[in-house]
Amino acid sequence: MGDIRRFHAWTRFDEPAVHGLIDVLPGAVLVARRAAGNSVFHAFTMNREFRRIFDIVPDEVAGRRIDDVLSLLGVPPAIRAMIPGASAETTLTASAVGERTVSISRRSLLKVDTEDDGTALSAWVFQDITSHRRTEEALRTARDQALVASRSKSAFLANMSHELRTPLNAIIGFSELLADELFGPLGDSKYKEYVNDIRHAGEHLLSLISDLLDISKIEAGRRTINEDLIDLGSLVARCCSMISDLARRGDVLLDRQIPAMAPNLHADARAVRQIVVNLLSNAVKFTPAGGTVTCRTLALKDGGVAIEVQDTGIGIAEEHLARVLEPFYQVDNSLTRQVGGTGLGLSLVNAIANLHQGRLVLESKVGCGTTARVEFPPWRTVPAQDGLPQSSVSQSKLEVQAAPAA
């Protein structure tokens, strides 16, 4: 429109200049002229693009009232009556291009009110925006379909998870009863071994189903957090104790570095426990025998607090770092295939961190290991002296270290 605005600089009516300029303007342009002393605009000229699209030659409309010409093109009355500087969208049918969505704008090109000349020029500019609107409609349709599919998937996962949890809890409960031999000995020792295998398999499957249920709730916006004041040091210590058996079986050293006065945290205790357990179990599973997994709490410069898990495992290639946060995504390597899993751990940690207005930061190098850090904002952090009394973290650490080796 920059060229059209240049008309404002004219001080006299220059007909050849009008014809020359509108022919190089983008879009279809129809120019109307109002003579001195007249209040009605009449069609004056048009550019080549206008003639091509609407299959009209200037002689057909020259001198006709502009309202009649626009009506002939199918322009609605409200748009025909719009003032200079206004624009609107409508659908028109043109012989050369068929039905199109167009943006119509009106511009004042020249107004010279003197004793010699009171000529006024006004232009109606037609821009074809059909492809833009079709693209927008296609994107809206695709988005709506994706939302419907996502909601259906989340609803299916939630329903199936509940259906599976009930029988699984029964399997786990009865296998525990059998393993404890509450109603008498099982007989052959193999039976007890098999019962324990059933229980461990059931617990593993229940854990996977719980992760599926949690991720589906978060995606559906139905996961809420029950905030409380958490003794972060004690919570992390208990999580390390939960994972210590897995670390021993994999011959991985589990090191814990928690300050005696670790800060407290306003958060959902169950959700934070999920974060720590998922990060620790991931680190242990992907660290070869003889490696080390270190869990620590850190004070951040902005006053927040972080939980960090660092391992000396296989690491993640840079091109996979962003994708490992996607649900079900797994890096394809031999160790991944050995340890199994659903690929939900890190995506669940990331989602829970976001629910707490925090973030998950991943740093990794293939062959050197991975550092996963969940950072919580300052307003969720409470200094130890202002919150809960601190538990004896060092005693919990000694218990883990004193546990018998596998």
Side-chain angles (χ1 to χ4, degrees):
M1 291 302 148
D3 291 328
I4 285 180
R5 293 193 186 100
R6 286 164 52 193
F7 277 101
H8 290 290
W10 292 3
T11 57
R12 63 186 180 82
F13 177 52
D14 187 346
E15 184 171 335
V18 175
H19 289 291
L21 182 57
I22 65 172
D23 268 340
V24 298
L25 291 177
V29 182
L30 174 65
V31 179
R33 178 183 179 184
R34 188 190 67 197
N38 196 335
S39 62
V40 179
F41 279 90
H42 294 82
F44 169 58
T45 188
M46 62 190 69
N47 68 356
R48 284 190 292 265
E49 183 67 6
F50 190 93
R51 296 196 295 269
R52 182 190 70 82
I53 291 177
F54 293 102
D55 193 24
I56 293 176
V57 295
D59 291 343
E60 290 183 54
V61 297
R64 293 181 63 175
R65 289 164 53 96
I66 192 64
D67 191 74
D68 295 338
V69 176
L70 294 174
S71 177
L72 180 67
L73 299 176
V75 177
I79 298 179
R80 300 201 301 265
M82 67 184 177
I83 62 175
S87 62
E89 290 183 17
T90 189
T91 300
L92 298 179
T93 300
S95 57
V97 293
E99 187 177 280
R100 311 295 287 177
T101 301
V102 295
S103 170
I104 305 175
S105 58
R106 183 180 176 185
R107 297 287 182 266
S108 289
L109 302 185
L110 173 70
K111 184 177 181 182
V112 182
D113 292 316
T114 67
E115 293 180 0
D116 301 325
D117 195 356
T119 297
L121 292 181
S122 192
W124 276 261
V125 183
F126 297 72
Q127 295 281 355
D128 187 349
I129 58 172
T130 306
S131 60
H132 296 293
R133 292 295 172 263
R134 285 176 179 171
T135 300
E136 289 176 357
E137 182 61 28
L139 289 173
R140 278 195 296 269
T141 301
R143 181 200 62 193
D144 293 344
Q145 290 175 344
L147 288 173
V148 170
S150 179
R151 284 194 292 266
S152 298
K153 179 202 71 176
S154 297
F156 171 77
L157 288 175
N159 291 335
M160 286 303 298
S161 297
H162 284 300
E163 290 295 325
L164 291 170
R165 278 176 126 175
T166 302
L168 269 176
N169 283 324
I171 292 170
I172 294 169
F174 285 126
S175 62
E176 286 177 349
L177 286 174
L178 291 171
D180 294 339
E181 299 180 324
L182 292 181
F183 300 105
L186 295 176
D188 196 300
S189 61
K190 280 289 182 182
Y191 290 140
K192 190 167 186 177
E193 180 183 337
Y194 295 154
V195 166
N196 282 323
D197 289 341
I198 292 171
R199 187 188 69 186
H200 291 316
E203 289 172 345
H204 176 65
L205 186 55
L206 184 60
S207 173
L208 296 181
I209 290 171
S210 296
D211 285 349
L212 281 170
L213 183 58
D214 284 329
I215 203 72
S216 64
K217 280 184 176 179
I218 291 172
E219 287 182 346
R222 296 201 303 266
R223 172 71 185 264
T224 58
I225 56 175
N226 301 309
E227 296 192 22
D228 203 354
L229 188 59
I230 303 171
D231 181 345
L232 189 59
S234 293
L235 185 145
V236 171
R238 288 195 297 272
C239 291
C240 289
S241 297
M242 292 168 60
I243 301 298
S244 61
D245 187 53
L246 178 64
R248 281 195 297 270
R249 291 201 305 268
D251 192 21
V252 173
L253 175 64
L254 183 57
D255 184 23
R256 192 171 68 245
Q257 299 175 3
I258 304 174
M261 295 295 286
N264 300 309
L265 189 66
H266 272 296
D268 186 316
R270 175 177 171 267
V272 175
R273 191 179 304 113
Q274 278 184 287
I275 287 175
V276 181
V277 169
N278 271 292
L279 291 181
L280 284 172
S281 60
N282 254 20
V284 170
K285 285 192 295 184
F286 292 102
T287 298
T292 302
V293 171
T294 304
C295 183
R296 58 175 69 92
T297 60
L298 301 170
L300 301 176
K301 291 182 180 179
D302 65 358
V305 67
I307 301 167
E308 184 177 272
V309 175
Q310 184 179 36
D311 65 60
T312 59
I314 60 174
I316 305 168
E318 186 176 353
E319 61 267 24
H320 295 298
L321 274 177
R323 294 211 61 194
V324 294
L325 300 182
E326 299 174 8
F328 309 108
Y329 181 80
Q330 292 178 301
V331 179
D332 186 20
N333 60 48
S334 58
L335 188 54
T336 301
R337 289 188 288 271
Q338 290 173 23
V339 301
T342 60
L344 281 173
L346 288 177
S347 62
L348 186 57
V349 168
N350 188 49
I352 295 174
N354 289 334
L355 281 177
H356 286 81
Q357 296 77 44
R359 64 172 187 155
L360 169 62
V361 180
L362 283 180
E363 300 168 359
S364 189
K365 186 176 180 181
V366 174
C368 296
T370 301
T371 298
R373 184 172 60 256
V374 174
E375 300 176 350
F376 294 94
W379 57 270
R380 287 193 174 277
T381 308
V382 180
Q385 62 268 26
D386 298 335
L388 300 168
Q390 293 293 297
S391 303
S392 176
V393 177
S394 58
Q395 180 181 353
S396 176
K397 181 177 180 180
L398 287 173
E399 288 173 356
V400 173
Q401 292 177 336

